Amino acid sequence: MNIGEVSERSGLPPKTIRYYEDINLVRPLRSDNGYRSFRESDIHKLAFLGRARALGFSIEDCRTLMGLYEDETRESAQVKAVAKEHLAEIDNKITQLKSMRETLSHLVEACQGDHRPDCPILKDLSRGV
Amino acid sequence: MNIGEVSERSGLPPKTIRYYEDINLVRPLRSDNGYRSFRESDIHKLAFLGRARALGFSIEDCRTLMGLYEDETRESAQVKAVAKEHLAEIDNKITQLKSMRETLSHLVEACQGDHRPDCPILKDLSRGV
DNA sequence: ATAAGGATTCCAGCCACTGGAAGCTCAAGG
DNA sequence: CCTTGAGCTTCCAGTGGCTGGAATCCTTAT
């Protein structure tokens, strides 16, 4: 199967698929004409990667998860550890974003947003140096 | 004032301050020895930038906000517009992260995390191709 | 024969820094 | 005066995860 069809079936852009080959996340075969030739198992892998990425896992996490997936002797504790750590990072990000949101929304509400130059947002950003 | 002291007073690493000069966010003077020579106004600017960045504004947004800050004839509506757009982006990110969090926390809870290989997390990631 | 569509490679760029190397200046101590 | 160390300079490269674009090749249809 050529990259175009694989792209449609996996939902990943061809560029991304080539990139994943570059960094050895997939290893498609090659046809005589030099085209990549994907097996069903490659598509399976790519879809796996797509979903892991959609959950925000880093490429390195994805590599680890793929490895565990293919390792019949894995312990689910290993998978859970990776996922828990990632979950904690997500929570951190959410916390940080919420704090930004808090501050920013207050400022936005306080700003008249009219033709006059006075602006609590700028005032806050330039407060005490 | 040299970059080290400016770094302490503004809270930004020297590398970042140099970078901000590179991209013309600040324009410190130069001493005879070639060292950057910062005025109070430069520190003020850098602190402004640091706070804007801490609220998650992009560098380009920061440039715009600095421009508005220095423009006496600005209209607060312009500032508010920038801030509101950024707020919307933050909200989008939070929404996306929360959705990841939802999915991931369910999966983590469902996973036994023991010595056995069976794992709902991997099962989910590899679901229907 | 040619044109269109898809494949290939490779290089560059995104964002906002950050690390590191090589070399300069300056202040303090022996 | 010499050395040592801290602090400053520039420049190049790397981060993550792609994405865009150019130049070229392969395949298929007209």
Side-chain angles (χ1 to χ4, degrees):
Chain A
M1 203 174 334
N2 285 350
I3 203 167
E5 197 181 339
V6 173
S7 170
E8 275 183 33
R9 286 187 51 195
S10 68
L12 298 173
K15 282 271 187 185
T16 300
I17 298 173
R18 292 195 191 99
Y19 173 67
Y20 286 175
E21 186 191 17
D22 261 16
I23 62 175
N24 287 318
L25 281 179
V26 270
R27 299 174 211 267
L29 305 172
R30 292 286 174 149
S31 306
D32 291 342
N33 58 13
Y35 287 14
R36 286 168 185 81
S37 175
F38 296 84
R39 291 151 293 191
E40 284 298 319
S41 62
D42 292 319
I43 299 185
H44 196 83
K45 272 195 188 188
L46 287 167
F48 181 104
L49 292 168
R51 276 188 294 262
R53 291 287 300 132
L55 287 180
F57 284 105
S58 72
I59 289 285
E60 282 320 301
D61 276 353
C62 288
R63 197 188 298 280
T64 303
L65 292 171
M66 274 290 302
L68 289 170
Y69 179 60
E70 294 180 331
D71 175 8
E72 308 269 309
T73 77
R74 72 182 165 256
E75 306 189 359
S76 65
Q78 301 175 270
V79 184
K80 188 166 181 171
V82 173
K84 275 178 85 171
E85 194 152 341
H86 179 47
L87 190 52
E89 271 173 36
I90 288 179
D91 282 340
N92 286 344
K93 277 191 198 162
I94 291 176
T95 303
Q96 209 186 342
L97 284 172
K98 276 187 175 171
S99 141
M100 286 180 187
R101 209 214 108 86
E102 261 296 289
T103 308
L104 200 53
S105 64
H106 287 330
L107 291 174
V108 165
E109 274 167 39
C111 177
Q112 294 290 329
D114 56 21
H115 61 290
R116 284 169 302 176
D118 313 86
C119 175
I121 302 172
L122 294 180
K123 203 160 288 168
D124 184 86
L125 288 174
S126 71
R127 91 189 103 92
V129 187
Chain B
M1 205 175 331
N2 285 350
I3 201 167
E5 197 182 338
V6 173
S7 169
E8 275 182 32
R9 287 188 51 194
S10 68
L12 298 173
K15 281 272 187 185
T16 300
I17 298 173
R18 293 195 191 99
Y19 173 66
Y20 286 176
E21 185 190 16
D22 262 16
I23 61 174
N24 287 318
L25 280 179
V26 270
R27 299 173 211 268
L29 303 172
R30 291 287 173 148
S31 306
D32 290 343
N33 58 13
Y35 287 15
R36 286 170 185 79
S37 175
F38 296 84
R39 290 151 292 189
E40 285 298 319
S41 63
D42 292 319
I43 300 185
H44 196 85
K45 271 194 188 189
L46 288 167
F48 182 103
L49 292 169
R51 276 187 293 263
R53 291 287 300 133
L55 287 181
F57 284 104
S58 72
I59 288 285
E60 281 319 302
D61 277 353
C62 289
R63 197 188 298 280
T64 304
L65 291 172
M66 274 290 303
L68 289 170
Y69 178 61
E70 293 181 330
D71 175 8
E72 308 269 309
T73 77
R74 73 182 164 258
E75 307 190 358
S76 66
Q78 299 175 270
V79 183
K80 189 167 182 171
V82 173
K84 276 178 85 171
E85 193 153 340
H86 178 48
L87 190 52
E89 271 174 35
I90 289 179
D91 282 340
N92 284 344
K93 276 190 196 163
I94 291 177
T95 302
Q96 208 185 342
L97 284 171
K98 277 188 175 170
S99 140
M100 287 179 185
R101 209 214 108 86
E102 260 296 289
T103 307
L104 200 53
S105 65
H106 287 330
L107 291 174
V108 165
E109 275 168 38
C111 177
Q112 295 289 328
D114 56 21
H115 61 290
R116 285 168 301 176
D118 313 87
C119 176
I121 302 172
L122 294 180
K123 203 160 288 168
D124 183 85
L125 289 174
S126 71
R127 91 186 103 88
V129 186

